[in-house]
Every structure is written in C-alpha cells, then in structure tokens.
Amino acid sequence: MSKFNWTPKREQFCIEYIVDFNGAQAAIRAGFAQKGAAKAAFDLMQKPEIAERVMQLIQARSNRTEIDADYVLNRLVEIDQMDVLDILNDDGSLKLVSEWPKVWRTYISGMDLTELFDGRGDEREMTGLMKKIKWPDKVKNLELIGKHVNVQAFKDRVEHSGVISHEEALEQLA
C-alpha cells in the first residue's frame, strides 16, 4: 500500500469542496482538468485522508461561524414562534418597527408601503397608507424543523416486536 501523497492541489480540492459540495466543480476550481474533473473528484473522495480533511474543514468553518445544526434548528424554532400580536397595537395598527421584537425585524421576508390618494392634480389628497408585511412560510418552516436530524418527524418508523427464528424469516421472504 502506498503512502498518501498530500499535495497543494489536493488541499485546494478539499477547500473548494466545502464551498458547494460539488466534487467536479471543486476539482476544476482546484486546478484539475475539466475533462476528468468528475472522476478525479470521485477518486479523491474515496481516500480516507481527503474525507477526513473535508470533515476537518467543515468543523473549522462551523466553529468560526458558530453555525451548526443546533443554531439552524433554534432559528427555525424562533420563526415558528413568531406571533403577529408582537407587532400590532391593540387597535390593529402596526407598532413602530423599532418596537418590534428582534425575531420580526430579522425574519420578515418583505415589507410594502403604499400611499393611497383621492382626487387628481392639485386636489389630490393622501387618504391612507397600506402596509403589507410578508413573513416566513410557516408550513415550510415546520417542514424544515421536521426534517432536522434530531426531530425526524417525517421519517417512516417501523416497529418490530417478538422473536422470529432464522428459518421463519426465510420462509416469510419466500
């Protein structure tokens, strides 16, 4: 068995791979020939040293950014718990944005303000203001929470009970 030959190009492949997890594109960006990039990426990813280095780089990025699965799940939970009453006054009007909880200021998808006018020309007068707030898709958010590795809400579960002999199992398969 030959010793693994670590090269700058292989290191660059690992760095490029964690950008988008596209092996062929990572190989091209790392300087491998475009024609054989997919095969080079496949071959590299079969090497335990490359897989280990990729995992080290992913962990280092997670440590740097402080973003991991727990972070993402916590943000999704924040979105799930958003309540429109947090941004409304008792009369139904919107509170000032500076009075909104941070979760609302962070996660709204869009805000439209439209001035409403009556009349024409010099007699035109503003009669109102229409405010539209687009908040995150709560169903999609719950789906993402449900797919989280620790929640697994959508994973099919099959429960087995009892004891079956090897011969009985073979009979059932036949």
Side-chain angles (χ1 to χ4, degrees):
M1 216 175 193
S2 64
K3 184 171 172 15
F4 183 76
N5 182 18
W6 199 263
T7 65
K9 194 186 263 191
R10 288 178 172 177
E11 173 70 12
Q12 191 61 39
F13 169 80
C14 295
I15 292 167
E16 296 294 340
Y17 184 77
I18 70 164
V19 168
D20 56 10
F21 299 102
N22 181 322
Q25 291 302 310
I28 292 167
R29 291 190 303 262
F32 289 84
Q34 188 168 356
K35 186 174 181 181
K39 178 160 180 12
F42 177 81
D43 292 346
L44 285 169
M45 291 305 292
Q46 301 308 304
K47 300 185 181 304
E49 298 87 351
I50 295 290
E52 182 180 336
R53 181 63 179 140
V54 166
M55 292 307 298
Q56 289 171 353
L57 290 168
I58 290 170
Q59 186 60 50
R61 179 176 61 194
S62 181
N63 292 343
R64 268 191 327 275
T65 62
E66 298 179 357
I67 297 175
D68 58 13
D70 287 343
Y71 174 88
V72 172
L73 185 58
N74 287 330
R75 298 301 76 78
L76 291 171
V77 169
E78 284 180 358
I79 292 168
D80 183 60
Q81 294 174 346
M82 289 170 66
D83 185 345
V84 73
L85 291 177
D86 293 338
I87 64 168
L88 294 178
N89 293 311
D90 289 340
D91 65 359
S93 63
L94 281 175
K95 291 181 180 179
L96 297 173
V97 175
S98 61
E99 296 174 3
W100 291 8
K102 183 177 181 192
V103 66
W104 274 93
R105 295 188 318 266
T106 305
Y107 293 118
I108 61 168
S109 301
M111 185 180 234
D112 292 328
L113 299 175
T114 305
E115 295 177 341
L116 304 173
F117 291 90
D118 269 345
R120 295 180 179 260
D122 291 341
E123 296 182 18
R124 192 174 144 178
E125 184 179 321
M126 190 167 120
T127 58
L129 188 62
M130 183 169 41
K131 301 172 185 178
K132 293 182 186 178
I133 297 170
K134 184 173 182 196
W135 61 344
D137 182 336
K138 296 285 214 144
V139 174
K140 177 67 175 171
N141 190 65
L142 280 173
E143 182 181 332
L144 292 171
I145 291 171
K147 287 181 177 180
H148 188 277
V149 70
N150 291 331
V151 175
Q152 296 183 5
F154 303 113
K155 199 143 188 118
D156 290 333
R157 293 187 180 143
V158 179
E159 292 187 27
H160 301 279
S161 63
V163 178
I164 188 168
S165 71
H166 181 69
E167 291 79 21
E168 290 172 317
L170 291 175
E171 284 177 20
Q172 289 181 5
L173 291 173

